Amino acid sequence: MEKSLRFYMLALILLFCGTGCFNGEPLSLPSGEKNAVGMIRTSRKGLAPVYAPLAEQIVSDFDLSEKDGIGIDLGSGPGTLIIELCKRTQMHWINADINPNFFPNFYRQAEENDAGHQVSAIFADAHSLPFRDNYADIIVSRGSYHFWEDRVLAFSEIYRVLKPGAVAYIGRGFSRDLPVETAKKIRAQQGKKMKYNVDEKANELSNIMSKLGIKDYRIDRPKPPGSENVNYGIWIEFHKP
Ligand SMILES: C[S@@+](CC[C@H](N)C(=O)[O-])C[C@H]1O[C@@H](n2cnc3c(N)ncnc32)[C@H](O)[C@@H]1O
């Protein structure tokens, strides 16, 4: 075999096998890593406009701008909501997620946004939260609860971890101030996979509250003017007395 041809073949073998990369992308990733890479990408592209208005709404609805204390974002993944919450509060925010592959990128993003001192990350399964009773001043979660297998158990864990007087805001979708055109565009990009019956989901959440004996709750279905045919998602706010 000609010397130069041998050189090219060796270079190709090294490229595919030695580095394990193709076009800068790993050739095969464990599923946790793959999910993290995919969700980080989505949070930076299609979903990017969602987080700032949601953080704005949470801070205003729950009066967080002057508050100290601990906030948990359960299933925060890339942690983009936390970064936006850090910009608007002095609180310490914890990214509690079952997939720790998100954490290095999350810490990097926090540092880049001057919020490194305001965040932590912990491996956490919603069904058995690694926090003591009465720990958090607020627990939020976006786009995660529908992955939890035993939602009654997971919501009971959230309730256990809330401080007396604290609030949880858990759900999926968008905040009420997300512009309708933006919401439409995101839903169009998501296609069928994000189609669900909001009435059914509202019933499910109410049933969970009644099973847990939680009386102080509100189902939130954002419907800004002009959003009649756009699914803004479903949220539940509940308080621990
Ligand atoms: C669709 S992503 C949403 C991420 C983020 N909240 C957002 O809105 O950008 C769902 C997240 O829920 C996490 N998750 C799924 N099941 C979980 C569980 N049992 N406990 C904690 N986190 C979970 C996933 O690892 C993932 O980060």
Side-chain angles (χ1 to χ4, degrees), residues 7-27:
F7 171 79
Y8 278 121
M9 285 183 70
L10 184 65
L12 272 176
I13 290 166
L14 279 175
L15 183 69
F16 283 103
C17 310
T19 65
C21 290
F22 181 64
N23 272 348
E25 295 283 343
L27 277 179

Side-chain angles (χ1 to χ4, degrees), residues 36-168:
V37 170
M39 187 60 215
I40 289 168
R41 208 173 275 155
T42 308
S43 71
R44 288 181 184 167
K45 290 189 175 169
L47 282 179
V50 164
Y51 302 99
L54 179 58
E56 200 71 42
Q57 178 187 300
I58 290 171
V59 170
S60 145
D61 285 4
F62 306 120
D63 234 349
L64 303 182
S65 58
E66 305 294 325
K67 203 173 163 74
D68 288 325
I70 302 283
I72 296 170
D73 182 5
L74 183 51
S76 188
T80 323
L81 177 60
I82 290 187
I83 305 290
E84 294 299 330
L85 287 164
C86 286
K87 291 179 190 168
R88 293 164 175 81
T89 67
Q90 312 299 314
M91 297 176 66
H92 189 91
W93 290 95
I94 304 175
N95 180 341
D97 200 288
I98 203 162
N99 184 352
N101 291 290
F102 284 108
F103 298 162
N105 174 73
F106 167 63
Y107 280 122
R108 223 173 8 252
Q109 293 294 312
E111 286 293 340
E112 283 172 19
N113 284 278
D114 296 324
H117 60 291
Q118 249 180 296
V119 303
S120 341
I122 187 164
F123 170 81
D125 182 348
H127 303 91
S128 171
L129 290 177
F131 305 107
R132 64 172 166 75
D133 299 358
N134 308 326
Y135 177 66
D137 294 274
I138 181 166
I139 301 180
V140 298
S141 179
R142 182 205 164 270
S144 183
Y145 88 84
H146 51 289
F147 292 107
W148 308 342
E149 268 170 34
D150 185 339
R151 291 180 200 127
V152 176
L153 177 58
F155 276 83
S156 76
E157 276 294 274
I158 293 172
Y159 195 73
R160 175 184 70 73
V161 171
L162 287 176
K163 275 184 186 164
V167 64

